[in-house]
Amino acid sequence: MRTMILIEKIIQKYENSAQDWKGGNAGNRSIRIQQKDYDEVGKSQLLWEAVELEEQGLIRVKWFNNKTDIEKIIYSLEDINKMHQLIGKTPKIEILRQMNEFVAEQMEVVKERWIMACYEEMLRQLDNGSIPKNLMNYEAVHEDESELNSSLFCTCLNALDVLREPIYKRIFSKHYLGNSKIFEKVFQLRIISQARKYHPDIDDNMNDSEVLSQLYIEEYSQELALKGELILELAGEQIDLSVFIYGTVLTSEMLKHAQIAVHQNIRKIITVENRANYMSMKYEPGTLIIYSHGYFSPKERDFLKELERVLCEREVDYLHTGDLDYGGIKIFQYIRKFIFPQLRPFLMDVGQFEAFRSMGEQMGDSAWEKMRVLKDPLMQPLIDKIVEEKIVIEQESFL
């Protein structure tokens, strides 16, 4: 279809209107012609279009300077469909109807509540006359590729809806989107944004990699580092990890297939935010020390929740040590909420703050604002102290 700038401008104004695009309105509307419109296609071309469309009865032109300039173009709402047909453009109301139908079909097949919320947001935007950004076509990832299909974002959401095992990011992208790099280059930030808004397990302190990990998308293999008393069962054999007094790691496959033995000698569990502190902690009988690397992934979380269930009849101390800052406290709250309900802070109090205050760092204003509204009954004295001093202390300082 040929390009006609005047019709495109008319349709653009029509579709950007608050009510006209919905149809049913009658009467005339107008657009004014400015110098930038002449510059866009050339004055002679624009004047030629105006003459031709006026002869066809699609517009009326208010001329001046002996028909060498246009003041404004007047058109009838009843002729809008003809204009769409003339340039081969689908009306906005029809595009919205098709998209609404498509999104409704996606909602019928998903089960995760947060993904349903993503689709509900799209429907609200469509009902308000806006095409959701996530349903628009995307720029090509490579020069030799055409535009990506707008439904690929929904393909991502629907794939995440059924994921129950960790998968490498590029394998996810190749398997579900047909190209190993499309997810990272095009969809990753959009998915992370939606997950931050709607996923119930996403904490506001998580970085992008940690958010993806909560969705079972991994950049590298999961490894749960620990040292101390833990007995596993695998292929009919018992494995006593206490013999690894300097620590060991459980791969994602071990987390998936190993069982936690019913009989355990654990009397204390300590989760540690930072690797250096974890590595420096010595093995001691009856204690299991676990490196949390920030936020535990879903697989790690399930494994530790099962451990807590096995130990529920015993008297076990659950402790966490981390940075004396907003992130450290949020990680503590996350572990207590999702894994160990009896968790208590360890080396995370006013006394520890005072002892290492000289090694603290000044807080930025944004971090201070978040800390100022943070509440926790077990850590409120520390929170108040940090807010008062505007100083945070990294856990590595304890070494």
Side-chain angles (χ1 to χ4, degrees):
M1 295 290 178
R2 60 179 173 169
T3 299
M4 301 198 74
I5 192 67
L6 285 179
I7 288 184
E8 289 180 351
K9 287 185 176 299
I10 290 170
I11 290 176
Q12 182 181 36
K13 180 177 180 181
Y14 172 80
E15 295 188 340
N16 288 340
S17 67
Q19 295 293 328
D20 286 347
W21 66 270
K22 297 179 181 179
N25 289 344
N28 295 331
R29 301 288 187 269
S30 65
I31 58 171
R32 292 194 173 274
I33 300 301
Q34 301 175 353
Q35 184 61 45
K36 65 179 182 179
D37 299 314
Y38 292 129
D39 295 341
E40 189 171 348
V41 294
K43 186 172 183 179
S44 60
Q45 173 68 24
L46 198 69
L47 295 176
W48 176 84
E49 285 186 18
V51 170
E52 182 177 0
L53 293 174
E54 190 172 40
E55 290 177 352
Q56 295 179 29
L58 289 177
I59 63 172
R60 286 189 293 114
V61 183
K62 186 172 183 181
W63 301 94
F64 68 98
N65 289 339
N66 197 28
K67 283 193 173 185
T68 60
D69 284 293
I70 299 171
E71 179 181 341
K72 64 179 178 179
I73 302 291
I74 302 165
Y75 59 94
S76 170
L77 293 178
E78 295 175 354
D79 290 328
I80 291 294
N81 283 339
K82 294 179 183 176
M83 295 185 189
H84 278 100
Q85 293 171 6
L86 188 62
I87 63 172
K89 183 178 178 65
T90 303
K92 176 180 178 179
I93 191 170
E94 175 61 18
I95 293 174
L96 293 175
R97 186 196 68 76
Q98 293 175 6
M99 286 188 167
N100 193 296
E101 184 177 284
F102 173 76
V103 171
E105 290 174 353
Q106 307 312 303
M107 291 184 67
E108 292 180 0
V109 301
V110 299
K111 295 181 174 58
E112 291 287 337
R113 187 66 193 88
W114 77 272
I115 295 178
M116 290 282 288
C118 295
Y119 283 129
E120 288 167 357
E121 177 187 331
M122 293 183 195
L123 289 179
R124 285 192 296 271
Q125 292 177 38
L126 290 167
D127 289 341
N128 291 330
S130 299
I131 297 176
K133 185 177 181 181
N134 288 326
L135 287 183
M136 294 180 181
N137 283 347
Y138 302 93
E139 294 180 0
V141 177
H142 302 295
E143 293 182 359
D144 59 346
E145 290 180 347
S146 58
E147 281 191 332
L148 297 172
N149 191 307
S150 61
S151 66
L152 284 180
F153 180 79
C154 298
T155 301
C156 284
L157 287 179
N158 293 1
L160 293 172
D161 184 67
V162 299
L163 275 187
R164 293 298 179 268
E165 296 291 338
I167 185 172
Y168 291 133
K169 182 196 301 185
R170 292 202 170 183
I171 295 177
F172 172 87
S173 186
K174 180 66 177 177
H175 181 71
Y176 291 103
L177 306 177
N179 181 291
S180 64
K181 298 179 182 178
I182 287 178
F183 177 79
E184 184 173 3
K185 291 189 175 183
V186 181
F187 298 102
Q188 176 173 306
L189 292 180
R190 295 178 184 271
I191 289 294
I192 289 172
S193 174
Q194 293 295 289
R196 288 190 186 280
K197 289 174 65 174
Y198 297 118
H199 197 295
D201 297 344
I202 304 300
D203 187 274
D204 65 358
N205 192 55
M206 289 180 177
N207 60 38
D208 287 354
S209 293
E210 289 169 331
V211 171
L212 290 177
S213 182
Q214 301 303 309
L215 307 181
Y216 293 99
I217 296 179
E218 299 289 345
E219 296 189 39
Y220 47 83
S221 177
Q222 293 179 7
E223 291 183 344
L224 181 62
L226 47 80
K227 67 177 74 171
E229 302 276 356
L230 180 63
I231 302 172
L232 301 179
E233 293 180 351
L234 183 66
E237 299 289 336
Q238 282 204 345
I239 305 171
D240 186 349
L241 299 184
S242 65
V243 300
F244 300 102
I245 62 173
Y246 302 109
T248 188
V249 296
L250 303 181
T251 65
S252 56
E253 288 300 299
M254 279 293 288
L255 292 174
K256 179 179 179 180
H257 296 289
Q259 302 295 314
I260 297 171
V262 174
H263 176 71
Q264 298 286 341
N265 300 316
I266 298 172
R267 294 295 176 263
K268 182 194 299 181
I269 292 179
I270 305 175
T271 55
V272 186
E273 178 182 347
N274 295 299
R275 179 177 288 276
N277 298 76
Y278 161 76
M279 295 297 294
S280 71
M281 297 179 74
K282 304 299 184 183
Y283 164 82
E284 58 181 74
T287 298
L288 178 63
I289 305 169
I290 307 168
Y291 171 49
S292 78
H293 58 77
Y295 293 86
F296 290 112
S297 70
K299 269 301 179 191
E300 294 167 335
R301 194 169 66 224
D302 291 345
F303 180 85
L304 295 176
K305 285 169 65 176
E306 176 63 16
L307 175 61
E308 195 269 343
R309 188 194 66 78
V310 170
L311 299 174
C312 67
E313 300 297 327
R314 302 169 176 82
E315 289 189 9
V316 178
D317 288 331
Y318 294 93
L319 305 172
H320 175 76
T321 178
D323 295 336
L324 306 187
D325 62 8
Y326 179 79
I329 295 170
K330 292 291 286 184
I331 291 169
F332 167 81
Q333 292 178 328
Y334 189 86
I335 297 173
R336 187 176 62 187
K337 178 180 179 180
F338 290 104
I339 303 175
F340 300 138
Q342 304 303 315
L343 191 67
R344 293 182 294 114
F346 174 52
L347 302 178
M348 298 183 76
D349 53 29
V350 173
Q352 190 75 357
F353 181 93
E354 293 287 5
F356 293 91
R357 187 186 185 284
S358 64
M359 303 186 72
E361 300 176 7
Q362 289 290 326
M363 297 179 70
D365 290 340
S366 60
W368 184 84
E369 286 292 339
K370 291 194 293 185
M371 180 67 80
R372 187 172 60 86
V373 298
L374 191 59
K375 303 296 180 185
D376 189 286
L378 296 178
M379 306 187 76
Q380 201 60 47
L382 174 63
I383 294 171
D384 295 341
K385 187 67 174 177
I386 294 173
V387 170
E388 176 188 352
E389 300 280 350
K390 283 194 171 183
I391 287 177
V392 293
I393 303 172
E394 294 183 348
Q395 187 184 21
E396 288 89 347
S397 300
F398 306 163
L399 301 179

